[in-house]
Amino acid sequence: MASTPSPHTTHLHSLISSSINHNKPSNLSFFHTSSNPSSFKLIHSFSTSFSSTISNVLKTADVSLSRDLNGVVSTPKPTILVSEKLGEAGLDLLRSFADVDCSYDLSPQDLCAKISLCDALIVRSGTKVTREVFEAAQGRIKVVGRAGVGIDNVDLQAATEFGCLVVNAPTANTIAAAEHGIALLTSMARNVAQADASMKAGKWLRSKYVGVSVVGKTLAVMGFGKVGSEVARRAKGLGMHVIAHDPYAPADRARAVGVDLVSFEQAIRTADFISLHMPLTPATNKVFNDDTFAKMKKGVRLINVARGGVIDEDALVRALDSGIVAQAALDVFTVEPPPKDSKLVQHENVTVTPHLGASTKEAQEGVAIEIAEAVVGALNGELSATAVNAPMVPPEVLSELAPYVVLAEKLGRLAVQLVTGGSGIQSVKVVYKSARDPDSLDTRLLRAMVTKGIIEPISDTIINLVNADFSAKQKGLRISEERIIVDSSPEYPVESIQVQISNVQSKFASALLENGNISIEGKVKYGIPHLTRVGPFSVDVSLEGNLILCKQVDQPGMIGKVGNILGESNVNVSFMSVGRTVKRKHAIMAIGVDEEPDKDTQKKIGEVSAVEEFVFLKL
Ligand SMILES: NC(=O)C1=CN([C@@H]2O[C@H](COP(=O)(O)OP(=O)(O)OC[C@H]3O[C@@H](n4cnc5c(N)ncnc54)[C@H](O)[C@@H]3O)[C@@H](O)[C@H]2O)C=CC1
Ligand SMILES: O=C(O)C(=O)COP(=O)(O)O
């Protein structure tokens, strides 16, 4: 039996090997391209190995190492396509890490043609990242970065299905958008744009452009998020009475700004000015329509720096013509740019800007840096704090869960290999034993990794944190979780993880519990994932290399017999553990092996008279 390496080394090795062994040809390996992984000095720091684990979770990086003629290992740079103008500071940051292709104004066809050569795509609001784009990417694109807030131009469902992470830059343009909202509000109230245009046309129309004052007027802020609350704060400074409608905003946040949260109806019935700051979603699509305009105070003034699609634009023209809406100031449109003959744009009571809300120098530099950091981080395998279609897992949680993440995937991978081929897996249960309060144990990562371990060996799909739940659902696989509180140290997040697969046949009957479920259980010991239970049998082997599970009559000499057969075939045993339920009845041998025993060797093991069943499993 091999001696146990130092926990730290083995921990690192297990983290690395998990990313190496589990890569598929279509998803280039993160660390090496050699056929002999052990020939590499792969890891020199914990942070590198840690990032490999995270990459394994996200599989966002397509960063293979290669050797030059002198054998020096180098990492080919990823390629990032930037399809709309981005601030220089962000571009510099991207260029220090990747080959950056700034191709603005691409047609949808050109975008589809380019995308399969890119690892990441950075867009603003002008690029439609459709399902066709993800299909055309042929699995290469790993991250879409939206340099701004609204992600309605990205098909999130398609991104998720293709395992592509979407990140945005949610904070850097908030003030710019709020300032633009206020600029539109005040310039509309005083007819600044119209008066300016008329003067430039040689006119001097003082009585035509008498405006309205804003002080004392009621402003309804629709959507009390980052931009909405900043607009509210500024409007208070102008002496306006501010109310807000937002079904998800906490009342105390509104109170802190001196704003009353009211219902949608109350907001639109009582406001003199209505400013829109909600996202465009199926629920908000055309929420301002003939019906809602009819309920508004006659002469209301409307500002939209959110998304054009929240307004039925034809209905707005009607409301302007009838005088329900006295004026509108619009930065955003259903179709951008709107048609040149748009009645709305041409309407004399409408002030328009070409989607300039985020367009200040300061905001654009900020957004560019924010998105560049998010995209580079994601390509490096870090979980993003601004992920839009994946759970945001704080770094401290992630670092604590790292070895359990590896354990979870290996248990999934082992469990599925115990299922007799052809049995459809429908129901998997993951049981976590932990001393921690179930509410403080975030298991999304672990569940995703169990799912990955189960699905990847039996499908072509690369599973990651983004698409794990979706892929399971697609395959009709129900993954349930149970958390059991145990009386151990809460210092460790998880005491053990058990994976059960129900209603299937097993090729290793000893892995079945009394309830007929295949069950395997593991623990992290000294940072190393271990298999600790197979069905009702206790074992204790480090989850590295490959594994032979062998059930035999519990009698002397069995270890020697099987060990000899493996030795004769030059198969190196790394770990071995024997477990039994009752003395001298049946026992299970769990043998870690470095090489895969050939068919002949496996046959010989099966022929040992006391061996009742055995199975070879790849980790
Ligand atoms: N014109 C421009 O250049 C810019 C436009 N925007 C747009 O402004 C909008 C708001 O951005 P942020 O404040 O940063 O986002 P946010 O996510 O901080 O705020 C949005 C708020 O809308 C609320 N909301 C969701 N559904 C709602 C509904 N049915 N009714 C009322 N409220 C609802 C949410 O609860 C949230 O509080 C987004 O659509 C964004 O795309 C943002 C920046 C620049
Ligand atoms: O951040 C947003 O939601 C915006 O609308 C800004 O859009 P832009 O990046 O200027 O095309």
Side-chain angles (χ1 to χ4, degrees), residues 444-476:
R444 290 169 303 174
L445 264 176
L446 302 175
R447 186 182 68 230
M449 292 308 276
V450 170
T451 309
K452 177 179 169 67
I454 289 173
I455 296 181
E456 270 193 359
I458 54 171
S459 82
D460 297 336
T461 321
I462 300 296
I463 308 297
N464 61 23
L465 190 56
V466 176
N467 64 2
D469 285 343
F470 172 80
S471 303
K473 214 167 158 193
Q474 282 293 97
K475 298 199 175 316

Side-chain angles (χ1 to χ4, degrees), residues 299-340:
V300 68
R301 288 177 165 79
L302 193 69
I303 303 110
N304 188 8
V305 273
R307 281 295 176 267
V310 302
I311 297 177
D312 175 341
E313 291 177 340
D314 293 337
L316 177 56
V317 172
R318 288 189 284 275
L320 283 157
D321 287 342
S322 71
I324 295 178
V325 175
Q327 289 182 300
L330 310 171
D331 182 47
V332 283
F333 306 88
T334 306
V335 176
E336 293 184 355
K340 287 207 171 65

Side-chain angles (χ1 to χ4, degrees), residues 245-457:
H245 169 70
D246 187 324
Y248 313 106
D252 54 348
R253 213 180 70 213
R255 257 197 310 275
V257 186
V259 168
D260 291 331
L261 278 182
V262 298
S263 69
F264 182 85
E265 298 273 319
Q266 199 181 341
I268 62 168
R269 273 187 204 286
T270 53
D272 303 297
F273 290 78
I274 300 177
S275 193
L276 311 186
H277 301 290
M278 68 261 277
L280 176 61
T281 64
T284 61
N285 188 33
K286 293 192 178 164
V287 71
F288 296 93
N289 51 40
D290 286 316
D291 286 350
T292 41
F293 286 128
K295 291 176 186 160
M296 291 179 186
K297 211 185 208 182
K298 193 160 167 53
V300 68
R301 288 177 165 79
L302 193 69
I303 303 110
N304 188 8
V305 273
R307 281 295 176 267
V310 302
I311 297 177
D312 175 341
E313 291 177 340
D314 293 337
L316 177 56
V317 172
R318 288 189 284 275
L320 283 157
D321 287 342
S322 71
I324 295 178
V325 175
Q327 289 182 300
L330 310 171
D331 182 47
V332 283
F333 306 88
T334 306
V335 176
E336 293 184 355
K340 287 207 171 65
D341 60 351
S342 158
K343 280 191 184 153
L344 190 58
V345 173
Q346 301 301 333
H347 204 288
E348 64 166 343
N349 295 338
V350 174
T351 303
V352 286
T353 50
H355 202 147
L356 291 180
S359 294
T360 62
K361 283 183 182 159
E362 295 84 352
Q364 281 313 306
E365 282 303 293
V367 162
I369 293 169
E370 197 177 4
I371 202 63
E373 284 175 348
V375 168
V376 168
L379 283 174
N380 270 333
E382 291 161 20
L383 284 179
S384 171
T386 60
V388 176
N389 63 342
M392 299 172 209
V393 183
E396 60 282 7
V397 175
L398 200 59
S399 109
E400 191 180 41
L401 285 181
Y404 301 90
V405 159
V406 179
L407 173 67
E409 181 180 359
K410 292 198 172 192
L411 290 176
R413 201 164 270 268
L414 280 187
V416 75
Q417 289 178 70
L418 292 170
V419 177
T420 306
S423 321
I425 304 174
Q426 284 174 350
S427 182
V428 174
K429 184 168 163 187
V430 190
V431 183
Y432 311 95
K433 284 189 187 150
S434 168
R436 293 201 185 161
D437 172 4
D439 288 343
S440 65
L441 179 64
D442 187 341
T443 58
R444 290 169 303 174
L445 264 176
L446 302 175
R447 186 182 68 230
M449 292 308 276
V450 170
T451 309
K452 177 179 169 67
I454 289 173
I455 296 181
E456 270 193 359

Side-chain angles (χ1 to χ4, degrees), residues 124-125 146-150 173 307 355 358-359 364:
R124 287 176 59 185
S125 60
R146 175 12 181 153
V149 184
N173 67 20
R307 281 295 176 267
H355 202 147
S359 294
Q364 281 313 306

